[in-house]
Amino acid sequence: MKTGIGHKLFLAIFATCMLVVLTMHLAIRFSFEQGFLGYLQRSAEDRTEMIADVVAEQYADYGSWYFLRNNQRGFMQALRALDTDRHMEHMERGWKMRFWLLDEDDRRLFGHGPVPPGELYRKPVKYNDNIVGWVVMPADDNINRAADQSFSHQQARTSWIVSALVLLVTLVVTWLLTRGFLRPVKRLAEGTHQLAAGNFSSRVPVHGKDEIAQLANDFNQLASALEKNELMRRDYMADVSHELRTPLTLIINPLNDLMQYVSFSPEIKETLQLIKKNTGRMLLLVNNLMDIQKYEAGKTILQKTSFNFSAFIREMYHSFESVAGNREIRFTLDNELPETYQVCFDEAEIEKIFFNLLSNAFKFTPSEGQVTIRVSTITQAECELLPHFPAQYSSILIEAGYLFIEVIDTGKGFSEQEAEKIFEPFYRSQEDIHRQISGTGIGLSLTRSIILQHNGCIWTESSETEGTRFMFLLPDTEK
């Protein structure tokens, strides 16, 4: 599955916004944790100093460390007065775990367990300007208290929720911006596809004065120039075809009369026959040119009638049997339709399709080669599963069923690059291997125009060593 420019632009903008949001989130979390940890450390240092002041007051009242043994309750009440924590019932245990009281010789007087190693806050206890002890508290680098951890986790959750909401808003805004940015680009792309398909009347609206608007304006000017040139080409080809058709017709009729004279020598009759053949060839070319111009201009009106398609296929097959015999080519018909299968097409135009495809197949198939006509019916769902089915034809498949027709030969095929040009007017991939007069290059172009006019489609697959297979679909109009 191809990723369009819209998806790429959306992913690029959204990924950039997401990276910025995540970076800001991590930066804010890091800043908060560092700031909060610094706040806790400063609070611990201030508390150490306050405890040292309380201890100094108690020491001054007793003149010694005697109060720690006989009035510890009063000492703890003085400590509790410093703390505003609402969990006061756990405070005594908390104080014992959070600081130590040492005498001047660093002997432990108060505190739970030995003094831990590492960085400590040490505040002196002074009496009469003499240091009589020390208050010691660990300088933790982590958030340890349950209340502090709960606050930190709550802030983290809030930060993640805010980041998620910002990303959600970013997702919606990015989608809207992408649609707005790409709307004129998509119009240009669609106009270009129409132009490449030969619809020179395609135009795109111009909004604003930016680079996209200038590009759209240039596109419209290019389309106008191409449309003008195309109209001039069609008019020129139509005029030339009309001018050639009349004199060619006037040549053929007298030639037919001349060839009736028995007094002419065989050499003269042979020359007249050659003139007639080439004149007929030129008239066919002119008629084909006129047909192509009508199809391109949309002026062709199909004369649809009901006829037996199975009988029609057999007739086309018998028409080319003599060609196959003369060139020693195996020619087979594989018709899966019933003996009577009524369809509604322009029979004369459908005949041109088979004539052009079979002529092309016999032209490039050597002796001992094989040409096959294969006819079957398929459903709409099966059409897109056919080999090498062009994706651009999916939109025209609107019928429930289709006739699937193949013209297969084992002659010299063409390359993949040539397959893209084979239906262009006047394109010739190679010369007739049977050394006869080469084609004009408009038969396949006319064939495609007729099939498209019947709401069908045609495509091909070819190998330079295995041959060519033309496949086309026509709506199944059995009645």
Side-chain angles (χ1 to χ4, degrees), residues 195-213:
L195 211 61
N199 181 15
F200 301 119
S201 62
S202 175
R203 301 290 186 275
V204 295
V206 180
H207 301 293
K209 296 182 179 180
D210 57 9
E211 290 83 355
I212 297 294

Side-chain angles (χ1 to χ4, degrees), residues 164-182:
L165 290 175
V166 171
L167 285 176
L168 181 61
V169 173
T170 301
L171 183 70
V172 175
V173 173
T174 302
W175 179 68
L176 294 174
L177 288 176
T178 302
R179 286 188 62 188
F181 289 154
L182 291 182

Side-chain angles (χ1 to χ4, degrees), residues 343-392:
V343 295
C344 186
F345 298 133
D346 189 324
E347 187 174 359
E349 298 298 288
I350 298 298
E351 184 177 343
K352 293 179 183 178
I353 294 175
F354 282 94
F355 178 82
N356 288 328
L357 291 179
L358 289 172
S359 296
N360 196 73
F362 282 107
K363 186 185 298 182
F364 301 116
T365 301
S367 298
E368 305 301 326
Q370 183 169 347
V371 174
T372 303
I373 304 174
R374 188 174 297 155
V375 184
S376 61
T377 58
I378 60 174
T379 64
Q380 181 190 42
E382 294 172 325
C383 291
E384 296 185 25
L385 302 178
L386 294 172
H388 300 280
F389 181 79
Q392 67 266 25

